[in-house]
Amino acid sequence: MFVFVLIFMVTVLYYINFRRLRKPLYEFSERMPTIGEVPVLGHTHWFIGGPERLLENIRKLAELVDSSGGLSKIWIGPSLYVVSLNPEDVQKILENCLEKDSSYKFLQTWLGNGLFVAPVELWKVHRRVLLPIFHNRVIEDYIEVFGQQGDVLVQRLAEQVGKPEFDVYKYITSCMLDIVFETAMGEKMDVQHNPDTPYLRARNCVMSIINMRLFKAWLQPDALFNLTPYAKMQKENIDLTHKFTDEVVNKKRALFESGGLQKEGRKDLLELLLTRDMKFTNEELREHIDSITIAGNDTTALVVSYALLLLGSHEEEQDRVYEELKGIFGDSERLPTKEDLNKMDYLERVIKETMRLYTVVPIIGRKTQKELQLSNVTLPAGVGCAVAPFVMHRSKRLWGPDADCFNPDRFLPEHSAKRHPCAFIPFSFGARNCIGRHFGMLAMKSILATVLRTYKVTSRTIDRLKIEILLFPVPGHMISIHKRNTAC
Ligand code: HEM
């Protein structure tokens, strides 16, 4: 009994001292409006009802912020996050706060110091080295792979023609995996025909465990997580994925050192990394390649799947895309070239409008490293900043009363020019934005063009969404397809 009383008293004293030290932070927080905050827990209870309820609460908070045009806050356990929907403030946050917030630490066990999660000082050096390998000229060499894998996708989809609705995401994500493995490390995995390998199972398992930790507050402290069977499962599966990439890296390194790498022709990203002046260790190479394949796959596959869902329920817009493709390809069945992709203006607008309505990276978390002056307030150092492109992209203040409607022509150059550069940020903004955005845009155009030249898509509208790190529709990406009489 005495021990329990002692533990209780120590905990209370610790808590009182903890609050005393953080008094300035609490005083700062009191000035900001919010909803749903409860004593001690803050907003942590939002995570208990699951990913769908979390999104609903974020939307309600967004309405409050949008109507006041200012800032709001969320407390997740002891961490304070400032939420802003004001593009000027978002620009200041994304340009000045380059450190990721602590929620990214769950990914760090897997991706180490790859670009996505690296601490800012290391990130600065590595990003400079990686930027040239994502240059437009390099990425354009991969257009052939986008077309070839899109063609395999069209053949795989043939099994669904005329059948009831099916989840298209699993087809698209296999296609994207084949693209990223071939372009990032030169591996032809043929996931489209072999979707169930030990490596892919391990990858999915790690993703699910990381996602679960984000939503189960009691699994977040390492001390508690390590007591559960998930810790062992996570370690075993991370080891398996690391072993796979390590073998590819070792093989490539040996070829590079023996002068056996092809001199001519297309180079994959790993080969390009090996030939940079900065000598990366094999571990660093693995961390970069794993980060690129993970950051590049599901994001791109999700946008393509959402675009198909939207076009499936907007016949007029789908017809416009098809007419554009007919104008480009005529009767030819060739794979899309760089010139073809450059001509797909309307399809590009469809993709942008899809990314606005279904922003697949719905929340970006950063941390202030020093004081930051926003329009109405000075943020202290060490505060989390939650930028929420998903809610910003649906803001009626920024996008008008029809913000929830699908209208690709919002992205006509004359309309885009009038908007603040941070009103539309599916790839984030500033120096730590998405390094693969050009890759992603070309791959999405190529895949969508190849599918839509062959099939007409129908679908129902999307009504329920959830956040599982990325943004997913609750019922899946359900569409049905019919073969067009004349493919273009
Ligand atoms: C539609 C497709 C894509 C979307 C919407 C997207 C979105 C984003 C966003 C929002 C970020 C910033 C995340 C944050 O700060 O938390 C990011 C970072 C990143 N993305 Fe993408 N991405 C896409 C495709 C790709 C592709 C195809 C690749 C690689 C081939 C890629 C590689 C990366 C990497 C490495 C980072 C980390 C960059 C850094 O911190 O310097 N992404 N992406």
Side-chain angles (χ1 to χ4, degrees):
M1 184 64 186
F2 173 73
V3 177
F4 284 117
V5 173
L6 191 67
I7 292 175
F8 177 73
M9 285 179 62
V10 170
T11 311
V12 170
L13 286 174
Y14 175 82
Y15 182 67
I16 291 171
N17 191 39
F18 179 75
R19 287 200 61 103
R20 188 182 58 81
L21 290 174
R22 290 162 53 103
K23 201 165 167 236
L25 196 64
Y26 293 113
E27 282 173 357
F28 166 77
S29 145
E30 269 161 26
R31 280 179 269 139
M32 271 188 286
T34 191
I35 50 166
E37 184 180 358
V38 298
V40 185
L41 280 182
H43 297 83
T44 313
H45 63 103
W46 279 7
F47 288 76
I48 295 168
E52 215 180 329
R53 182 163 167 256
L54 173 68
L55 191 62
E56 266 168 44
N57 283 316
I58 292 174
R59 275 179 162 165
K60 282 188 202 143
L61 183 75
E63 275 166 30
L64 172 84
V65 186
D66 213 13
S67 57
S68 67
L71 287 170
S72 184
K73 64 172 173 191
I74 305 180
W75 278 101
I76 301 174
S79 309
L80 172 66
Y81 289 86
V82 169
V83 186
S84 170
L85 296 187
N86 173 353
E88 281 87 33
D89 285 345
V90 165
Q91 179 169 5
K92 283 188 192 146
I93 291 169
L94 291 176
E95 280 177 346
N96 292 288
C97 311
L98 297 175
E99 191 75 78
K100 300 274 172 116
D101 89 275
S102 55
S103 62
Y104 289 73
K105 73 171 188 230
F106 302 128
L107 277 167
Q108 205 148 20
T109 333
W110 193 14
L111 304 180
N113 287 324
L115 274 195
F116 198 78
V117 277
V120 73
E121 288 312 320
L122 190 72
W123 167 83
K124 274 186 192 157
V125 180
H126 285 201
R127 172 100 180 189
R128 215 173 300 130
V129 182
L130 263 77
L131 258 181
I133 74 160
F134 279 92
H135 191 278
N136 293 3
R137 272 199 312 277
V138 176
I139 301 307
E140 281 155 12
D141 272 353
Y142 301 149
I143 288 175
E144 192 186 4
V145 182
F146 303 159
Q148 288 162 347
Q149 292 302 338
D151 209 34
V152 178
L153 171 67
V154 164
Q155 291 162 33
R156 297 282 299 114
L157 285 172
E159 67 193 23
Q160 295 292 349
V161 171
K163 294 210 181 132
E165 39 174 38
F166 66 99
D167 192 344
V168 74
Y169 177 65
K170 66 172 195 223
Y171 287 88
I172 310 282
T173 197
S174 300
C175 172
M176 257 328 280
L177 276 168
D178 280 334
I179 288 176
V180 291
F181 285 127
E182 187 168 346
T183 53
M185 43 180 155
E187 288 294 298
K188 287 190 194 264
M189 298 276 283
D190 198 13
V191 180
Q192 299 209 66
H193 292 106
N194 307 293
D196 189 28
T197 65
Y199 168 75
L200 293 172
R201 255 179 274 138
R203 213 175 130 111
N204 290 341
C205 173
V206 179
M207 286 278 200
S208 317
I209 294 175
I210 291 173
N211 189 52
M212 184 179 65
R213 281 190 86 181
L214 281 172
F215 289 97
K216 294 199 186 330
W218 58 94
L219 287 180
Q220 294 195 354
D222 287 341
L224 291 182
F225 176 70
N226 289 337
L227 296 175
T228 70
Y230 297 119
K232 185 165 172 267
M233 206 189 293
Q234 175 173 286
K235 180 170 182 328
E236 283 170 2
N237 284 286
I238 287 182
D239 288 350
L240 214 148
T241 62
H242 284 176
K243 188 166 169 275
F244 172 85
T245 320
D246 283 340
E247 280 172 11
V248 179
V249 169
N250 291 340
K251 199 169 66 184
K252 273 268 149 85
R253 164 88 72 195
L255 269 176
F256 171 64
E257 284 174 357
S258 66
L261 281 184
Q262 267 189 0
K263 302 271 180 299
E264 301 297 316
R266 189 175 65 224
K267 305 239 172 317
D268 57 65
L269 298 176
L270 177 54
E271 283 174 11
L272 292 169
L273 278 177
L274 272 165
T275 49
R276 304 297 302 155
D277 286 343
M278 175 163 175
K279 301 285 168 249
F280 285 118
T281 64
N282 280 12
E283 191 183 353
E284 286 169 334
L285 287 172
R286 187 241 293 147
E287 290 173 349
H288 282 309
I289 291 299
D290 278 352
S291 302
I292 289 167
T293 60
I294 284 156
N297 174 51
D298 287 345
T299 44
T300 316
L302 273 170
V303 178
V304 171
S305 307
Y306 278 119
L308 290 174
L309 269 179
L310 279 165
L311 290 173
S313 55
H314 293 84
E315 200 173 349
E316 204 180 301
E317 284 76 4
Q318 189 176 170
D319 288 346
R320 261 181 91 177
V321 172
Y322 185 67
E323 286 309 313
E324 180 175 79
L325 296 174
K326 247 168 75 178
I328 295 170
F329 293 97
D331 292 332
S332 161
E333 290 192 2
R334 67 167 191 277
L335 300 181
T337 61
K338 178 181 140 191
E339 289 70 33
D340 296 330
L341 296 179
N342 283 342
K343 287 183 202 150
M344 296 177 191
D345 292 338
Y346 188 67
L347 183 58
E348 182 163 323
R349 296 209 286 283
V350 166
I351 294 172
K352 286 183 176 164
E353 179 68 343
T354 304
M355 292 196 290
R356 183 185 72 82
L357 283 170
Y358 298 100
T359 309
V360 300
V361 182
I363 298 175
I364 297 166
R366 296 287 173 85
K367 195 162 65 185
T368 55
Q369 288 174 292
K370 48 184 190 218
E371 275 193 357
L372 179 67
Q373 181 64 50
L374 299 184
S375 37
N376 290 328
V377 72
T378 306
L379 302 186
V383 173
C385 299
V387 173
F390 174 71
V391 282
M392 253 174 78
H393 292 167
R394 301 249 186 168
S395 156
K396 295 201 170 28
R397 198 166 42 87
L398 298 175
W399 296 90
D402 66 343
D404 285 330
C405 301
F406 179 61
N407 174 13
D409 284 340
R410 286 178 211 276
F411 287 96
L412 279 168
E414 58 270 31
H415 298 318
S416 296
K418 286 186 215 138
R419 276 191 295 267
H420 189 283
C422 276
F424 180 62
I425 48 166
F427 295 114
S428 187
F429 185 82
R432 204 159 188 177
N433 67 354
C434 174
I435 201 168
R437 60 198 182 286
H438 187 58
F439 183 121
M441 190 45 110
L442 290 180
M444 291 188 287
K445 272 181 162 178
S446 179
I447 298 174
L448 280 167
T450 310
V451 171
L452 293 165
R453 281 162 75 189
T454 318
Y455 300 115
K456 182 160 178 128
V457 179
T458 46
S459 68
R460 283 177 284 152
T461 48
I462 316 161
D463 48 4
R464 290 170 60 205
L465 294 164
K466 60 180 177 181
I467 297 184
E468 283 182 350
I469 305 180
L470 301 177
L471 186 79
F472 287 89
V474 177
H477 294 85
M478 306 305 288
I479 64 165
S480 34
I481 53 171
H482 305 274
K483 191 138 176 37
R484 289 195 181 266
N485 294 333
T486 48
C488 59

